[in-house]
Amino acid sequence: MDRLEGAVRERLQFAARTPLRREILRGLGLGDADLRRLVRRKHLWHHHGHYMDGRLDEHVAVIACAHAAYPGSVVSHFSAARLAELRTWTDNARSSAPPTDAAWLTRPPTAARNHHRRNIVVRRAGLPTDHVSQHRRLPVTTIARTVVDLARELPLREAIVTVDHALQLGTTMTELQAVAGQQERWPGISRARSAIDFGDARSESVLESISRAAFAAAGLPEPVLQAQFFDGFGWMLERVDFWWPEFRTVAEADGLAKYEADTPAERRHRIRRAHRRDQRLSDRGVELVHFGWEDVVGTPADLVARLRGAFARGATRTAPPPTWRIAPVQLVA
């Protein structure tokens, strides 16, 4: 950038806030060698035949350049979810898993046919004005529309991750159902309705969401989410992920990140704290099952067998059951 003339540099910094084609930049006084150098040094991003200011987040630049390449389109699906910071998850072991890192767009039904390649996916569909919002001057589908679009694309255990997170962020079930109601007879709408009906704002992580789907697929009774126990003096601070009161069984979805720390001492402290927490829960007279990603994604049948074993043990306990309640929902700001 320092090798450009002052006036050219100033014009470029102003103009490149939006996607620009090569001929526009040449009109500002830049040559092809300048463009190659600026891209190489990441002063400019170059995607989908357009250039943008390198100070922008590259993911945003990729999406904006794709949108510019398809005039009249709206950012949607996984790209809209990324811009809205909605959680998504897909099982990459699935042969038909969609390219989540591609730029996803929706165009009106009158546009050319659907387009799908490794780095860009274009769908054709109706887009009522109330299904479209704005993000940094980009037209994007609303959160509710984004959730329903993804739920039509994905199997339940993947779609439920985004449904749960949207509900946690404050999107209502009524909003999701309203969007689904405008997509009658669209491909995948029955699947989307099932995911919406299964949604729960109390599911606080990707692992918890896909675990609920695994439990339901295995025919396990529906658990209570985010339960708290009374210890005789007050409500314990701990909220458990899954609670089956009829079987006195608690299940905790443990990602390894909870034990990560900057120092070995802090890591040991976190492990000791987790052990003390388990002891407080065990003192309530419950069965306690811990599981992680590998159990849910890799060996769900083994996890279900462990839970059924805990159910059988819990059902034989004769001591008075613990006092519990559902903790208040904590919506994310």
Side-chain angles (χ1 to χ4, degrees):
M1 196 68 89
D2 53 328
R3 293 170 61 178
L4 298 176
E5 294 182 5
V8 174
R9 181 169 59 249
E10 185 175 336
R11 288 196 298 270
L12 174 62
Q13 289 180 335
F14 177 79
R17 296 174 186 175
T18 58
L20 298 173
R21 287 194 175 276
R22 171 176 168 271
E23 54 268 25
I24 299 298
L25 292 173
R26 287 182 60 83
L28 295 177
L30 286 88
D32 288 341
D34 294 322
L35 293 177
R36 288 193 295 269
R37 184 181 70 255
L38 292 172
V39 170
R40 185 173 62 250
R41 296 183 179 180
K42 297 187 176 181
H43 294 306
L44 286 177
W45 299 118
H46 183 213
H47 297 286
H48 304 294
H50 291 75
Y51 295 83
M52 282 196 81
D53 192 331
R55 292 172 297 182
L56 293 172
D57 177 84
E58 186 174 12
H59 291 301
V60 175
V62 168
I63 294 169
C65 288
H67 172 259
Y70 289 86
S73 64
V74 172
V75 179
S76 62
H77 296 77
F78 290 99
S79 295
R82 181 189 289 274
L83 295 180
E85 299 183 350
L86 275 174
R87 285 195 293 256
T88 62
W89 178 78
T90 56
D91 185 355
N92 291 328
R94 182 164 61 89
S95 59
S96 58
T100 59
D101 57 346
W104 286 68
L105 305 168
T106 295
R107 304 182 81 186
T110 53
R113 63 182 177 83
N114 289 345
H115 182 80
H116 183 174
R117 64 176 188 246
R118 185 187 61 81
N119 61 356
I120 193 163
V121 179
V122 181
R123 292 283 188 259
R124 292 184 304 163
L127 280 167
T129 56
D130 60 340
H131 288 191
V132 181
S133 60
Q134 293 285 319
H135 180 91
R136 298 185 184 180
R137 293 190 251 178
L138 280 174
V140 300
T141 51
T142 61
I143 288 181
R145 171 62 186 261
T146 300
V147 170
V148 177
D149 282 347
L150 288 175
R152 290 190 296 107
E153 291 272 347
L154 301 172
L156 186 142
R157 79 164 184 162
E158 298 176 14
I160 196 59
V161 169
T162 308
V163 174
D164 284 349
H165 193 213
L167 293 172
Q168 190 184 12
L169 291 172
T171 300
T172 66
M173 192 72 75
T174 300
E175 290 173 303
L176 297 179
Q177 291 169 340
V179 172
Q182 294 177 297
Q183 297 185 357
E184 287 292 341
R185 300 184 181 180
W186 286 26
I189 191 59
S190 295
R191 184 166 56 243
R193 287 190 181 280
S194 296
I196 293 168
D197 292 342
F198 192 61
D200 196 318
R202 293 170 297 171
S203 195
E204 296 182 343
S205 69
V206 175
L207 182 55
E208 290 179 31
S209 294
I210 64 174
S211 298
R212 292 200 306 113
F215 299 158
L220 294 182
E222 183 178 356
V224 175
L225 306 186
Q226 310 304 331
Q228 285 180 301
F229 295 99
F230 192 74
D231 64 4
F233 300 96
W235 293 104
M236 298 169 59
L237 293 178
E238 290 88 355
R239 294 178 299 127
V240 300
D241 297 330
F242 305 103
W243 165 236
W244 287 270
E246 66 271 39
F247 302 115
R248 300 193 189 186
T249 296
V250 165
E252 291 284 72
D254 294 330
L256 294 179
K258 67 187 293 184
Y259 301 113
E260 293 178 357
D262 294 333
T263 65
E266 175 61 22
R267 193 175 304 115
R268 288 193 296 270
H269 170 71
R270 294 187 179 189
I271 293 173
R272 287 196 301 270
R273 185 172 60 193
H275 289 169
R276 289 194 295 268
R277 180 182 187 275
D278 282 358
Q279 185 61 60
R280 289 193 294 271
L281 291 173
S282 295
D283 289 344
R284 307 278 69 77
V286 301
E287 296 290 325
L288 182 57
V289 177
H290 283 279
F291 65 90
W293 276 97
E294 295 80 2
D295 302 299
V296 177
V297 177
T299 57
D302 291 345
L303 172 59
V304 170
R306 288 172 56 202
L307 287 169
R308 291 193 186 280
F311 292 170
R313 294 189 300 272
T316 64
R317 289 179 178 264
T318 57
T323 301
W324 63 276
R325 71 174 185 181
I326 298 176
V329 174
Q330 295 184 338
L331 296 178
V332 177

